[in-house]
Amino acid sequence: MKRWLNDLEAREGLDRLVARCRKLVIGSYAILILLMAYRGMLVDSETSRVGPLIAFVLPLALFLPSILAQRARGHAWLAFVSLLYFAQGIMVATLPGQVTRGVAEALVALALFAGCTGYARFRSRQVKHAGTGAS
C-alpha cells in the first residue's frame, strides 16, 4: 500500500492529490451534514425538535474550523468520526423501509473517510516538503 501511495504521489503530484482530496472532503462533508439534518428533523421527539437535530449535526459541525483552516490533523480526526456515521448508516439500512437512506449515509460517510485520510496524508507530506524546500 505504501508503495502504491508513493507511486501515486510521484505520478500525480502532491498539490493535485491534496486538491482532489479536499474536493472530496468538502462535497461529502456537506452532503453528510444535509443527510443528518434531514434525519434529525424526522425524529419525532416529544420534548424538543431541536435536540435530535443538534445530536446528529453537532459532531460534524465541530470540525468545520479544521476543514476551513485546512489542518491535516483535524481531517484525520474527522476520518475517525466519519466511521461512526458509517456504522450508523449500516444500522439504519437494516431498518424496514430505510435501506436507501441508510446506504446513502454509509456511502457518504465512507467517501468522507477516504477523502479525510487522503487529505491528512497528502497535506502533511506537502507541508513537510514545503518546509524542507523539496519539491
Side-chain angles (χ1 to χ4, degrees):
M1 183 70 153
K2 186 175 181 178
R3 186 177 190 184
W4 178 78
L5 287 170
N6 288 337
D7 291 343
L8 182 65
E9 287 177 25
R11 191 174 59 248
E12 297 289 330
L14 284 173
D15 294 337
R16 192 171 187 187
L17 290 171
V18 167
R20 283 183 180 173
C21 288
R22 181 150 172 81
K23 287 178 185 176
L24 180 59
V25 167
I26 290 172
S28 57
Y29 179 79
I31 293 169
L32 191 58
I33 282 185
L34 290 173
L35 284 171
M36 292 297 102
Y38 176 71
R39 182 156 184 235
M41 288 186 284
L42 290 179
V43 173
D44 188 27
S45 177
E46 296 174 5
T47 57
S48 171
R49 298 229 15 120
V50 179
L53 179 65
I54 290 172
F56 286 122
V57 175
L58 184 62
L60 289 172
L62 292 174
F63 288 96
L64 187 59
S66 289
I67 290 174
L68 295 176
Q70 301 181 26
R71 290 191 289 262
R73 180 172 281 162
H75 283 77
W77 280 105
L78 179 56
F80 293 126
V81 171
S82 71
L83 293 176
L84 297 172
Y85 285 94
F86 173 76
Q88 176 181 283
I90 296 299
M91 182 188 71
V92 169
T94 63
L95 299 173
Q98 302 296 320
V99 174
T100 304
R101 196 175 82 208
V103 169
E105 287 178 20
L107 290 176
V108 172
L110 194 60
L112 181 60
F113 174 78
C116 284
T117 54
Y119 184 86
R121 175 190 169 84
F122 299 132
R123 178 69 176 150
S124 295
R125 292 176 66 85
Q126 184 184 45
V127 168
K128 180 181 173 185
H129 284 237
T132 61
S135 301

